[in-house]
Amino acid sequence: QKNFKKLDETCQKILKYHLKKMPDKKIARKIKINDVSYLKKRKHLCKEKLIKMIKEDPKYLSYLKDKNI
């Protein structure tokens, strides 16, 4: 959750709506993006950014070390 809150507000909204299984077209309307393909690209970038932040998080690295992963 800490990493999620570091994302910009638009990324947070996109990912929240996505996790609620909201269709891309509806997400685009809600956050005022006219192009659904742009929304898909933005959603992908938001996911990538979140994954990167999690992988760089010291707690995550410590967890991996403890689990010998």
Side-chain angles (χ1 to χ4, degrees):
Q1 193 174 19
K2 173 184 76 170
N3 290 307
F4 184 81
K5 290 189 183 275
K6 289 180 186 176
L7 293 171
D8 65 73
E9 187 178 344
T10 302
C11 275
Q12 288 183 31
K13 286 180 181 179
I14 290 170
L15 294 178
K16 280 182 186 177
Y17 293 143
H18 175 69
L19 289 172
K20 290 181 180 181
K21 308 283 189 219
M22 188 179 290
D24 286 341
K25 205 170 188 177
K26 190 170 182 179
I27 296 171
R29 266 198 318 270
K30 278 192 160 282
I31 61 171
K32 296 175 177 57
I33 291 178
N34 296 325
D35 186 1
V36 175
S37 61
Y38 174 74
L39 170 73
K40 290 178 181 183
K41 175 72 173 169
R42 183 74 192 267
K43 180 172 56 177
H44 175 75
L45 293 173
C46 293
K47 286 180 185 179
E48 290 292 315
K49 187 174 182 179
L50 181 58
I51 289 167
K52 183 178 186 289
M53 287 191 300
I54 290 169
K55 286 182 174 180
E56 292 173 351
D57 188 314
K59 286 185 178 181
Y60 177 74
L61 296 172
S62 176
Y63 171 80
L64 291 179
K65 185 177 177 186
D66 290 345
K67 298 292 180 185
N68 293 318
I69 297 175

